[in-house]
Amino acid sequence: MKTGAQRILEKYGKDKTRLMDILIDVQNEFGFIPREITVQIADELGMSEVDVDQTISFYHFFSQKPTGKYHIYLNNSAVANMMGRNDVAAAFMKELGIKFGEVTPDGLVGLFETACIGMNDQEPAAIINNQIFTRLTPFRAKEIVRDIREGKSVNDMFVQDWGDGENRSDLIKSVVSNNIRKIGPVLERTFTAGQAIDKLIKMTPEQVIEEVKKSNMRGRGGAGFPTGLKWEFGRNAKGEKKYIFCNADEGEPGTFKDRVILTERPRLLFEGMVIAGYAIGATEGILYIRHEYKYLQAHLESILQMARDANYLGKNIQGKKGFNFDIRIQFGAGAYVCGEESALIESAEGKRGEPRDRPPFPVEKGYLDMPTVVNNVETLCAVVKVVLNGGEWYKSLGTTESTGTKLLSISGDCKFPGVYEVVWGFSINDILDMVGAHSEDVQAVQVGGPSGAIIGRNEFNRILGYEDLATGGSLIIISKHRDILNDIVLNFMDFFIDESCGSCSTCRITPTLLRNKLLKILNARGVKQDIEDIVEWGKILKASRCGLGQTAANPILSSLKNFRHLYEEKIQKNKEYDCGFDLSLAVKESCQVTGRVPNI
């Protein structure tokens, strides 16, 4: 075992900033990270064991206990539940004879929960030994367990045909479907690798930045910061070396558009990173991808090598003396907070993915304390089209405040879940028509994932755009037969509680308190004061350090704002106080466990 770990350490040059890669390889090779290997890693990298331990313990897909020869991570997102996940979970537990979080006594199979894995358009879905299984049913769960017991490899367990597009290629061979429903100017098929670079090298970096500023493009990650302005800051920042980061950690439940770009348009993305590198003077780009997309690694590495062979990456790119730029891939290991740019940088340095205090901002002091520009996948794809077609062309699309197009990941109760590229300015009603959802059957739409807002029918005429309804791209459609508080809000609050990094006490504590209030109301023990407490306590989260903490109350607060009647229907009308504790019920449950007879 130590020999295997030594080989992995040497593969990464015993560089402690590559700790994430080292731990991912150890986890994959041994199925867990044994104590003796942790000690070995710390010793070889010149780190304390505590520093290695704190990184291991932070990420969902690292384990210090064996996870089984086959490890099944079943997605527990709200949409997975809407599509029948609970029946699949029950089938796995029955066939394996274990609960979630356990490993079979023979060490063969581990069964675990995991948050949204970027497959909301084909739920229920699971990750088994880094391979994706979609559209699961209880029957398929039984088949998978049978195949495991017969000793089949994971690749031999697939019974359906491979997915569409590159999912069928030899380097992916996945049953995942792209579900590209609407192609626009960014995702269009005519792009040829190298087109933009050929034009780029005839421009100065300042001209590139000016063209992007002229387009009025804003970052597509949700915050909407002007891309050209960020690049200008990066260009002017002082440092021995500069970095471009592409944030492909799309962990917001309901979002999966980056998955499709990484599968079908990686050349477009990599060219966008080259453009950004040229503009700010960076020599290295890092594509940070969520662990759930590990199945795309060979495909992406192959595309990068082709780019190097064609001198679209490397030294003196396309004969431009001094234009040196290359890209490496960094996988995460399961932490939603790493979608925040400074947390992502911390993770790429091999640390816990905790957000940094700002200032300084990453553009001044980012990766390895050097100036770093972090852009979203969609942003970097769009700048390629700005270079090719000009800023004025891009500005002609969309609205005054929101130029260009937006990729939407749409899922939930609709006929055609998938990825849609639309120009900004679409209304929610337009989108419902587009995806085959009858507005009269729709109760609500969750815009922007759990950190966004849930809106009702009276707001379906609102327009997608920064001037009205901004979104990072996730829309979940919720029909009338769903229980919003139980099926959606409670699930989202559990998600935020699980994903808090724990750094800020506001984020570590308040979501749990709010969830407890919600449960009290759902259990018919709530009173009017509980609703008022939720509103007041929700304000506390605004003091959190990062966007995750600041938005962690949004599921409750936005549902309370737009669906207050659902809360008021469940509270006790003629009671001012209820502690929420049922002594008789507690005694009854205690007696069930101990075998005693209740005496009250």
Side-chain angles (χ1 to χ4, degrees):
M1 190 176 281
K2 282 195 170 184
T3 303
Q6 190 66 28
R7 175 174 36 79
I8 293 170
L9 282 159
E10 288 172 2
K11 175 182 173 184
Y12 295 103
K14 298 184 181 180
D15 180 353
K16 66 180 181 182
T17 68
R18 303 298 297 274
L19 181 59
M20 286 291 288
D21 295 308
I22 293 167
L23 294 175
I24 289 170
D25 282 8
V26 169
Q27 177 74 42
N28 285 338
E29 184 153 332
F30 303 116
F32 73 115
I33 303 173
R35 187 69 215 162
E36 62 184 289
I37 301 301
T38 300
V39 174
Q40 182 183 359
I41 291 171
D43 185 49
E44 293 282 350
L45 298 185
M47 302 173 67
S48 70
E49 291 176 35
V50 172
D51 279 340
V52 180
D53 273 337
Q54 67 174 353
T55 297
I56 294 171
S57 62
F58 187 80
Y59 296 93
H60 182 64
F61 291 107
F62 290 153
S63 174
Q64 293 172 307
K65 297 178 181 176
T67 54
K69 182 179 179 182
Y70 299 86
H71 31 87
I72 301 171
Y73 285 87
L74 183 64
N75 174 16
N76 62 11
S77 71
V79 172
N81 289 331
M82 289 162 69
M83 301 302 156
R85 182 260 181 201
N86 286 342
D87 291 338
V88 175
F92 272 126
M93 287 192 290
K94 181 180 178 184
E95 295 300 311
L96 292 169
I98 57 174
K99 297 177 181 176
F100 279 84
E102 296 180 348
V103 178
T104 54
D106 59 1
L108 184 63
V109 190
L111 184 62
F112 307 96
E113 306 257 14
T114 195
C116 182
I117 61 173
M119 300 289 159
N120 252 22
D121 54 336
Q122 42 210 302
E123 294 289 0
I127 305 172
I128 304 178
N129 291 12
N130 291 333
Q131 295 298 314
I132 307 293
F133 286 71
T134 62
R135 303 181 181 88
L136 291 171
T137 62
F139 181 78
R140 278 294 291 138
K142 292 177 188 176
E143 283 188 328
I144 288 168
V145 174
R146 179 202 64 199
D147 290 346
I148 286 174
R149 289 192 169 130
E150 289 177 358
K152 287 186 178 180
S153 71
V154 172
N155 286 337
D156 288 336
M157 295 180 196
F158 293 113
V159 294
Q160 68 199 86
D161 199 3
W162 304 124
D164 54 338
E166 291 295 327
N167 288 301
R168 306 179 71 85
S169 70
D170 289 341
L171 292 177
I172 300 181
K173 281 193 174 177
S174 168
V175 296
V176 173
S177 299
N178 289 317
N179 289 326
I180 301 175
R181 306 288 188 183
K182 184 174 175 60
I183 295 179
V186 171
L187 284 187
E188 53 89 18
R189 303 182 186 88
T190 61
F191 171 75
T192 303
Q195 271 183 309
I197 292 177
D198 290 342
K199 188 172 179 181
L200 179 76
I201 58 177
K202 297 170 184 164
M203 303 169 71
T204 66
E206 290 77 12
Q207 286 173 324
V208 175
I209 292 173
E210 197 55 39
E211 205 62 41
V212 175
K213 288 173 72 176
K214 195 185 297 180
S215 73
N216 282 348
M217 180 189 296
R218 298 168 68 160
R220 294 304 195 248
F225 192 83
T227 304
L229 193 58
K230 181 184 277 192
W231 286 14
E232 190 169 63
F233 290 154
R235 178 84 193 159
N236 294 333
K238 305 297 181 188
E240 293 177 12
K241 188 174 180 179
K242 297 179 183 178
Y243 294 91
I244 291 293
F245 265 66
C246 174
N247 183 349
D249 193 56
E250 60 171 358
E252 188 78 36
T255 308
F256 47 85
K257 59 188 174 59
D258 290 354
R259 180 201 83 213
V260 175
I261 290 175
L262 292 168
T263 305
E264 296 300 323
R265 303 290 190 271
R267 293 172 180 83
L268 185 69
L269 170 62
F270 292 145
E271 203 141 328
M273 292 181 72
V274 173
I275 292 169
Y278 181 74
I280 75 158
T283 54
E284 186 174 348
I286 297 176
L287 171 60
Y288 187 102
I289 310 178
R290 65 185 314 210
H291 190 275
E292 288 82 349
Y293 298 162
K294 199 86 169 55
Y295 73 101
L296 295 173
Q297 183 173 10
H299 168 63
L300 294 170
E301 294 284 9
S302 170
I303 301 293
L304 283 176
Q305 190 54 51
M306 282 190 270
R308 292 185 190 107
D309 293 343
N311 194 219
Y312 294 132
L313 290 174
K315 293 185 177 178
N316 301 320
I317 293 174
Q318 296 302 297
K320 181 85 171 179
K321 192 174 180 181
F323 180 17
N324 307 324
F325 188 79
D326 208 337
I327 298 170
R328 77 168 176 89
I329 295 173
Q330 175 67 65
F331 279 94
Y336 167 69
V337 70
C338 288
E340 196 277 340
E341 61 179 5
S342 66
L344 179 147
I345 290 170
E346 285 284 297
S347 178
E349 291 180 354
K351 304 170 189 169
R352 294 164 63 89
E354 293 182 1
R356 296 176 177 176
D357 289 324
R358 292 180 289 182
F361 291 91
V363 74
E364 306 164 280
K365 194 174 180 180
Y367 182 62
L368 304 179
D369 289 341
M370 295 295 163
T372 303
V373 166
V374 183
N375 283 133
N376 173 273
V377 170
E378 189 182 344
T379 306
L380 289 164
C381 289
V383 297
V384 176
K385 300 307 173 74
V386 171
V387 168
L388 285 173
N389 303 318
E392 290 294 341
W393 166 81
Y394 192 82
K395 195 163 67 174
S396 71
L397 305 171
T399 68
T400 304
E401 294 292 323
S402 310
T403 60
T405 67
K406 185 78 194 82
L407 268 65
L408 303 175
S409 309
I410 303 180
S411 61
D413 295 315
C414 62
K415 285 183 182 175
F416 307 111
V419 174
Y420 295 76
E421 185 184 0
V422 302
V423 293
W424 286 108
F426 260 51
S427 72
I428 296 296
N429 274 322
D430 293 335
I431 289 168
L432 294 177
D433 286 343
M434 183 174 68
V435 303
H438 299 294
S439 59
E440 60 270 23
D441 296 330
V442 176
Q443 178 181 195
V445 176
Q446 181 73 36
V447 180
S451 64
I454 186 168
I455 63 172
R457 294 170 56 84
N458 62 327
E459 295 188 274
F460 287 176
N461 61 346
R462 291 183 64 183
I463 303 297
L464 287 184
Y466 292 104
E467 56 269 62
D468 186 10
L469 201 54
T471 174
S474 163
L475 277 84
I476 299 173
I477 298 167
I478 304 160
S479 70
K480 285 182 176 176
H481 71 283
R482 305 291 181 188
D483 182 336
I484 287 179
L485 302 189
N486 257 312
D487 298 345
I488 308 297
V489 178
L490 186 58
N491 180 281
F492 287 172
M493 291 309 298
D494 285 337
F495 170 78
F496 278 120
I497 291 167
D498 286 344
E499 295 295 337
S500 171
C501 77
S503 178
C504 303
S505 58
T506 50
C507 176
R508 186 172 66 249
I509 298 168
T510 313
T512 300
L513 297 176
L514 294 174
R515 178 184 180 276
N516 290 344
K517 284 285 185 184
L518 175 62
L519 282 174
K520 184 182 174 188
I521 292 171
L522 289 172
N523 291 331
R525 301 296 299 267
V527 297
K528 185 180 178 183
Q529 184 60 44
D530 291 317
I531 294 178
E532 303 308 321
D533 288 345
I534 286 173
V535 173
E536 287 303 311
W537 296 358
K539 297 174 184 174
I540 297 171
L541 280 160
K542 295 300 179 187
S544 301
R545 184 190 295 172
C546 77
L548 184 153
Q550 292 165 7
T551 59
N554 283 9
I556 285 187
L557 294 182
S558 71
S559 59
L560 187 56
K561 176 187 173 189
N562 296 321
F563 297 89
R564 191 179 182 98
H565 63 281
L566 297 179
Y567 289 84
E568 292 179 339
E569 286 169 2
K570 294 183 182 298
I571 62 172
Q572 302 171 86
K573 301 296 186 299
N574 301 315
K575 201 169 184 180
E576 291 188 357
Y577 176 77
D578 189 319
C579 69
F581 181 71
D582 188 328
L583 180 61
S584 298
L585 181 61
V587 170
K588 182 180 178 183
E589 290 175 349
S590 171
C591 289
Q592 285 175 344
V593 173
T594 59
R596 300 170 66 183
V597 178
N599 191 29
I600 60 173

